[in-house]
Amino acid sequence: LAKTTQPISMDSYEGQEVNITCSHNNIATNDYITWYQQFPSQGPRFIIQGYKTKVTNEVASLFIPADRKSSTLSLPRVSLSDTAVYYCLVGDPLWTGANNLFFGTGTRLTVIP
Amino acid sequence: DGGITQSPKYLFRKEGQNVTLSCEQNLNHDAMYWYRQDPGQGLRLIYYSQIVNDFQKGDIAEGYSVSREKKESFPLTVTSAQKNPTAFYLCASSSGRVQETQYFGPGTRLLVL
């Protein structure tokens, strides 16, 4: 079971780049890494997903080193609206049951004016 | 608009009462999920369903029951056996594979009178 470890909280000033790291030492060969964002009293929202190296979309980048035992979500130039909880999930794209659906406690990012 | 809906937004339960939370999706997704979130905590999986007429227990299924008679609907019943039901309940759906993006509903907040 590839569970994950993230920092409980982070603070950042507006306009800065924020990097949130997730550790997943037991990641399996077929596992993908997925990040979600959750605002208070709302359901989580998909941000980005990757398998190795680097993935970039319009909102974030995901860096995955060669050993894949960790990953880093990078948010460029954060704004106050990026204040949220960020979850890292690791799992196999082939259905193997509930073991892959582990959200953990996430990282609470607070953006400061 | 395509999406996933939950009702009601707030629900009050009396001692010994069963209550049912509604979840409907028009995304034509095969898989649906129920999560529970306690204040300041991450999401914990209650039940999931890969396909109609099939569902599996998650990490905290005791005191809950589900049904999946239609592809678009996955209601959750919180039974009187669930002694601490106060929480935020989130329903999600995905196309089928566990690492496919999960789309979440707006949530139902359940309170005990």
Side-chain angles (χ1 to χ4, degrees), chain A residues 31-34 36 38 40-46 49 87 89-106 108, chain B residues 9 31 33 35 37 40-45 48-50 56-59 88 90 94 96-107 109:
Chain A
D31 284 346
Y32 276 66
I33 300 153
T34 309
Y36 286 82
Q38 185 182 25
S41 298
Q42 295 184 26
R45 181 175 70 112
F46 172 87
Q49 183 181 82
Y87 296 96
L89 275 73
V90 172
D92 190 327
L94 298 179
W95 186 272
T96 56
N99 284 348
N100 291 312
L101 298 170
F102 179 73
F103 273 80
T105 54
R108 185 173 301 275
Chain B
K9 187 173 182 179
Y33 318 78
Y35 293 91
Q37 187 172 37
Q41 302 298 312
L43 282 68
R44 291 186 291 168
L45 183 67
Y48 66 96
S49 169
Q50 284 181 264
Q56 305 295 327
K57 293 181 179 181
D59 299 324
F88 188 48
L90 287 160
S94 70
R97 292 181 173 181
V98 70
Q99 281 296 287
E100 292 294 329
T101 300
Q102 291 186 50
Y103 293 85
F104 284 82
R109 194 167 297 280

Side-chain angles (χ1 to χ4, degrees), chain B residues 15-84:
Chain B
E15 292 286 341
Q17 185 182 40
N18 292 353
V19 293
T20 298
L21 284 62
S22 170
C23 178
E24 304 277 333
Q25 55 97 359
N26 61 5
L27 300 167
N28 200 32
H29 284 166
D30 286 316
M32 297 187 74
Y33 318 78
W34 274 105
Y35 293 91
R36 169 180 171 144
Q37 187 172 37
D38 292 287
Q41 302 298 312
L43 282 68
R44 291 186 291 168
L45 183 67
I46 305 173
Y47 269 98
Y48 66 96
S49 169
Q50 284 181 264
I51 198 168
V52 173
N53 293 322
D54 181 68
F55 48 84
Q56 305 295 327
K57 293 181 179 181
D59 299 324
I60 55 166
E62 186 174 349
Y64 301 96
S65 66
V66 294
S67 63
R68 187 84 187 277
E69 298 177 0
K70 298 187 297 183
K71 186 176 185 177
E72 58 270 22
S73 178
F74 191 40
L76 172 74
T77 295
V78 183
T79 74
S80 57
Q82 173 49 244
K83 298 306 180 187
N84 184 24

Side-chain angles (χ1 to χ4, degrees), chain A residues 3-79:
Chain A
K3 290 201 173 180
T4 59
T5 303
Q6 304 174 232
I8 293 175
S9 64
M10 296 179 68
D11 293 337
S12 175
Y13 287 102
E14 270 191 297
Q16 291 190 330
E17 179 184 73
V18 170
N19 295 310
I20 305 174
T21 298
C22 178
S23 296
H24 28 80
N25 292 322
N26 296 325
I27 190 168
T29 302
N30 293 333
D31 284 346
Y32 276 66
I33 300 153
T34 309
W35 286 80
Y36 286 82
Q37 174 193 56
Q38 185 182 25
F39 297 113
S41 298
Q42 295 184 26
R45 181 175 70 112
F46 172 87
I47 301 176
I48 197 165
Q49 183 181 82
Y51 182 78
K52 63 180 179 181
T53 61
K54 177 184 175 182
V55 179
T56 297
N57 62 22
E58 62 276 9
V59 298
S61 295
L62 179 59
F63 298 93
I64 306 167
D67 66 5
R68 303 200 327 121
K69 294 184 182 299
S70 67
S71 59
T72 299
L73 174 72
S74 181
L75 305 172
R77 299 182 57 81
V78 294
S79 65

